[in-house]
Amino acid sequence: MARENFASGKTAIMAMAGSAIGLGNIWRFPYMVGQNGGATFVLIYLFCVLLLCLPIFIAESTIGRCSGSNTFGAMAKLAPGTKWKWIGLLTVITPLIILSYYSVVGGWSVDYMLKSVISGFSSDAPEYFGRFTSSVWKPLIFHTIFLSLTCIIVLRGVKAGIEKFNKASLPLLFILIVAIAVYSMTLPGASEGIAYMLKPDFSSLSARSFAYAMGQGFFSLSIGVGAILTYSSYMKKDESLIGSAAGTAIFDLMFAVIAGLAVMPAVFAAGIEPGAGPGLIFETLPYIFSQMAEEAPLLSRVVSICFFVTIVFAALTSSISLVEVGVSYLAEEHGYSRRKAVLVIFSIAWTLGAVCSLSFGPLAGVKLFGLSAFSFCDVLTSNFLITFGSLLFVIFVGWKMDRELVRNEITNGGTLPFACRVFKPLYFMIRYVAPVVLVAIFLTNFML
Ligand code: TRP
């Protein structure tokens, strides 16, 4: 079967940005900011993404495009006869675990989107969240719907499915989130929230916020799990790897900050504490929408619909990249048809996701290392597997691959002047700095 390619560098960036922009930006980033001291965290985050995550992103991308293969095949091709391919296999498993619990949260978002269309939210929104997530069937049904939507898009292929969906969704996402942010920032009492997002207070700086910022950077940029590797393998040889990495990082950063500006000012305007944690989006915001509805029912409805539509689409553009990692592996290494590969991935992710979903209700008592199935999958992937995967990628590019091969791939055979100029420091970051930082973060996870 001939491999498909993304049509251009622009659509490759859109696909990668689609993978990067997701629940991590709208759901995780604002509450992380809320729990870690506001603008100082935003600043550390910017620093981490541009200086440390970007080289790792480029390393992962290099493996993908240089090999033109799925994660397993890439390692087998670039380091033939070694055990590296099994590491490639690890990066087929990690995205499957992420996909499982991601799809559960994606399912909640679909429910909230429909709820905002059909009935709007009432002031018992925080209690509704607890009731909804701990019930058996409803979250399971929405998990199934979300995962099915994801799989239908992937089934249509790289060009007609993934590329087309991202191309249509990304502009929509930006328009909606900017509109919501503008609205939120003009609410009476919003200025405190804006300052919270943008004015740093260095007294809240700690080693912990640094580790969290790095972790959030990896998660948000989708690095370390083979998604960027797989998408990069669909990039044409004359596109710039540094350009697409920088483009993706900038879109992702912008989206996170705008999402923060959409959420925080509204939270402050409603007089609510910003450190609510994971419930910020599903408990606090719907409550705010219900309060708004008392004065401006129509406006409240429109804003809440826009907000949850944004979340659903952002989550979909990410989850399709998670599915594609496994699909390209099964299709290329085991000769599966796309349909069969999608079906296999669906079945595994659905089952594991169902366990995660039920871990809020009937299975709440079942603990692994003191964590529910959902939290276990989240912590295992976000804190450990993503960092570990990133570490393996940078070691592979920095120490296993031939330097000239890497240089050739990043500079397109010496034809990209900017890439040629920055190659040396970039290679230094990939070879020395990134592994040290990644090991440090890996170890910090055991202490936090
Ligand atoms: N970046 C996604 C988000 O911000 C989540 C994510 C983490 C992801 N790792 C991934 C998505 C790998 C796709 C592939 O929501």
Side-chain angles (χ1 to χ4, degrees):
M1 195 171 49
R3 272 188 131 244
E4 290 186 89
N5 274 327
F6 289 129
S8 68
K10 219 171 78 198
T11 52
I13 294 181
M14 283 182 128
M16 290 195 203
S19 167
I21 294 170
L23 295 166
N25 302 59
I26 312 179
W27 169 60
R28 227 160 169 261
F29 184 72
Y31 86 71
M32 283 260 178
V33 172
Q35 286 181 330
N36 292 288
T40 319
F41 183 80
V42 178
L43 217 65
I44 305 176
Y45 182 69
L46 265 162
F47 170 82
C48 285
V49 167
L50 295 178
L51 216 72
L52 294 164
C53 296
L54 208 53
I56 302 172
F57 189 112
I58 295 170
E60 184 175 339
S61 236
T62 304
I63 305 176
R65 200 186 52 179
C66 187
S67 65
S69 280
N70 62 85
T71 54
F72 180 89
M75 299 286 183
K77 222 183 225 174
L78 297 176
T82 65
K83 295 205 166 55
W84 277 97
K85 57 179 184 287
W86 301 113
I87 283 154
L89 197 60
L90 172 78
T91 53
V92 174
I93 297 166
T94 313
L96 251 180
I97 305 176
I98 300 180
L99 176 65
S100 312
Y101 75 86
Y102 204 82
S103 165
V104 173
V105 184
W108 299 347
S109 317
V110 176
D111 174 70
Y112 273 64
M113 180 179 80
L114 294 180
K115 198 166 163 58
S116 55
V117 173
I118 296 166
S119 61
F121 295 99
S122 57
S123 57
D124 79 335
E127 293 82 43
Y128 172 79
F129 181 68
R131 245 185 297 132
F132 166 63
T133 52
S134 62
S135 63
V136 175
W137 293 109
K138 224 169 143 195
L140 269 186
I141 292 169
F142 284 106
H143 157 55
T144 313
I145 294 175
F146 183 84
L147 195 58
S148 308
L149 287 173
T150 305
C151 286
I152 290 170
I153 300 165
V154 177
L155 197 59
R156 308 195 55 168
V158 175
K159 261 214 169 79
I162 297 175
E163 179 172 296
K164 209 165 152 199
F165 185 75
N166 278 310
K167 219 171 135 185
S169 304
L170 213 63
L172 172 82
L173 288 176
F174 269 93
I175 292 170
L176 286 176
I177 201 77
V178 167
I180 300 167
V182 168
Y183 169 75
S184 173
M185 290 194 294
T186 49
L187 288 171
S191 55
E192 223 182 305
I194 303 174
Y196 188 77
M197 278 297 297
L198 299 180
K199 228 167 87 196
D201 159 21
F202 288 102
S203 60
S204 56
L205 204 68
S206 70
R208 208 182 61 153
S209 28
F210 188 78
Y212 279 165
M214 272 308 274
Q216 171 65 15
F218 294 146
F219 186 85
S220 191
L221 284 180
S222 301
I223 45 186
V225 310
I228 296 304
L229 193 161
T230 307
Y231 272 6
S232 302
S233 75
Y234 301 133
M235 270 176 78
K236 290 187 179 149
K237 286 287 184 192
D238 57 352
E239 312 290 355
S240 156
L241 289 183
I242 295 184
S244 58
T248 306
I250 288 168
F251 276 134
D252 189 59
L253 273 171
M254 272 180 10
F255 201 89
V257 172
I258 301 171
L261 286 173
V263 174
M264 281 305 161
V267 170
F268 273 86
I272 294 172
E273 266 296 297
L280 191 61
I281 294 302
F282 293 106
E283 297 171 326
T284 312
L285 276 187
Y287 173 77
I288 295 172
F289 290 137
S290 77
Q291 297 303 96
M292 259 168 66
E294 284 172 14
E295 279 167 32
L298 185 66
L299 191 62
S300 151
R301 256 326 234 291
V302 172
V303 176
S304 64
I305 292 171
C306 289
F307 191 77
F308 286 105
V309 166
T310 311
I311 296 192
V312 169
F313 275 79
L316 277 173
T317 56
S318 298
S319 59
I320 52 180
S321 75
L322 289 164
V323 173
E324 181 62 22
V325 178
V327 169
S328 69
Y329 163 72
L330 290 174
E332 289 169 15
E333 301 301 320
H334 298 280
Y336 283 27
S337 67
R338 213 172 167 80
R339 178 182 292 271
K340 188 169 161 200
V342 170
L343 208 68
V344 170
I345 301 292
F346 178 92
S347 314
I348 303 173
W350 187 86
T351 312
L352 190 56
V355 176
C356 291
S357 177
L358 293 173
S359 75
F360 287 92
L363 299 183
V366 183
K367 303 274 186 208
L368 278 163
F369 298 99
L371 298 167
S372 71
F374 181 96
S375 307
F376 179 76
C377 288
D378 182 17
V379 170
L380 176 70
T381 51
S382 312
N383 297 8
F384 294 97
L385 293 177
I386 289 182
T387 326
F388 191 58
S390 305
L391 180 64
L392 295 171
F393 288 147
V394 290
I395 291 179
F396 190 79
V397 174
W399 297 88
K400 179 76 197 160
M401 278 173 80
D402 181 48
R403 188 178 187 273
E404 268 321 290
L405 188 64
V406 175
R407 190 187 146 82
N408 222 4
E409 199 59 47
I410 291 180
T411 62
N412 290 0
T415 58
L416 299 172
F418 177 75
C420 290
R421 235 175 300 134
V422 297
F423 180 74
K424 233 174 149 183
L426 177 64
Y427 192 69
F428 181 80
M429 290 297 289
I430 295 175
R431 191 168 152 100
Y432 299 104
V433 182
V436 174
V437 174
L438 284 163
V439 169
I441 291 177
F442 197 76
L443 296 179
T444 343
N445 280 325
F446 288 100
M447 293 181 266
L448 290 179

mmCIF file of all heavy atoms in Angstrom, residues 21 50 76 81 257 266 342 441:
data_model
loop_
_atom_site.group_PDB
_atom_site.id
_atom_site.type_symbol
_atom_site.label_atom_id
_atom_site.label_comp_id
_atom_site.label_asym_id
_atom_site.label_seq_id
_atom_site.Cartn_x
_atom_site.Cartn_y
_atom_site.Cartn_z
ATOM 1 N N ILE A 21 -3.096 20.910 20.155
ATOM 2 C CA ILE A 21 -4.164 21.676 20.810
ATOM 3 C C ILE A 21 -5.286 20.736 21.187
ATOM 4 O O ILE A 21 -5.851 20.058 20.339
ATOM 5 C CB ILE A 21 -4.699 22.772 19.860
ATOM 6 C CG1 ILE A 21 -3.603 23.798 19.595
ATOM 7 C CG2 ILE A 21 -5.938 23.432 20.453
ATOM 8 C CD1 ILE A 21 -3.936 24.772 18.494
ATOM 9 N N LEU A 50 9.665 26.692 24.601
ATOM 10 C CA LEU A 50 10.523 27.183 23.525
ATOM 11 C C LEU A 50 11.944 26.644 23.625
ATOM 12 O O LEU A 50 12.575 26.327 22.623
ATOM 13 C CB LEU A 50 10.522 28.712 23.506
ATOM 14 C CG LEU A 50 9.153 29.300 23.151
ATOM 15 C CD1 LEU A 50 9.188 30.815 23.194
ATOM 16 C CD2 LEU A 50 8.673 28.828 21.778
ATOM 17 N N ALA A 76 13.235 0.205 13.499
ATOM 18 C CA ALA A 76 13.780 -0.982 12.836
ATOM 19 C C ALA A 76 14.581 -0.575 11.597
ATOM 20 O O ALA A 76 15.587 -1.193 11.261
ATOM 21 C CB ALA A 76 12.646 -1.925 12.445
ATOM 22 N N GLY A 81 18.591 -4.437 13.223
ATOM 23 C CA GLY A 81 19.261 -5.486 13.984
ATOM 24 C C GLY A 81 19.452 -5.155 15.457
ATOM 25 O O GLY A 81 20.106 -5.899 16.171
ATOM 26 N N VAL A 257 -2.701 30.153 26.040
ATOM 27 C CA VAL A 257 -2.818 31.443 26.724
ATOM 28 C C VAL A 257 -4.210 32.047 26.477
ATOM 29 O O VAL A 257 -4.856 32.551 27.404
ATOM 30 C CB VAL A 257 -1.695 32.408 26.272
ATOM 31 C CG1 VAL A 257 -1.914 33.792 26.830
ATOM 32 C CG2 VAL A 257 -0.342 31.860 26.719
ATOM 33 N N ALA A 266 -13.416 35.001 33.595
ATOM 34 C CA ALA A 266 -14.793 34.645 33.963
ATOM 35 C C ALA A 266 -14.845 34.084 35.375
ATOM 36 O O ALA A 266 -15.756 34.372 36.145
ATOM 37 C CB ALA A 266 -15.355 33.630 32.970
ATOM 38 N N VAL A 342 -8.176 0.065 12.435
ATOM 39 C CA VAL A 342 -8.985 0.996 13.234
ATOM 40 C C VAL A 342 -9.876 0.222 14.204
ATOM 41 O O VAL A 342 -10.021 0.589 15.373
ATOM 42 C CB VAL A 342 -9.839 1.911 12.311
ATOM 43 C CG1 VAL A 342 -10.855 2.698 13.118
ATOM 44 C CG2 VAL A 342 -8.950 2.859 11.516
ATOM 45 N N ILE A 441 13.588 15.243 35.367
ATOM 46 C CA ILE A 441 12.135 15.300 35.501
ATOM 47 C C ILE A 441 11.563 13.933 35.845
ATOM 48 O O ILE A 441 10.678 13.801 36.696
ATOM 49 C CB ILE A 441 11.500 15.818 34.201
ATOM 50 C CG1 ILE A 441 11.865 17.276 34.031
ATOM 51 C CG2 ILE A 441 9.985 15.662 34.231
ATOM 52 C CD1 ILE A 441 11.369 17.871 32.784
#
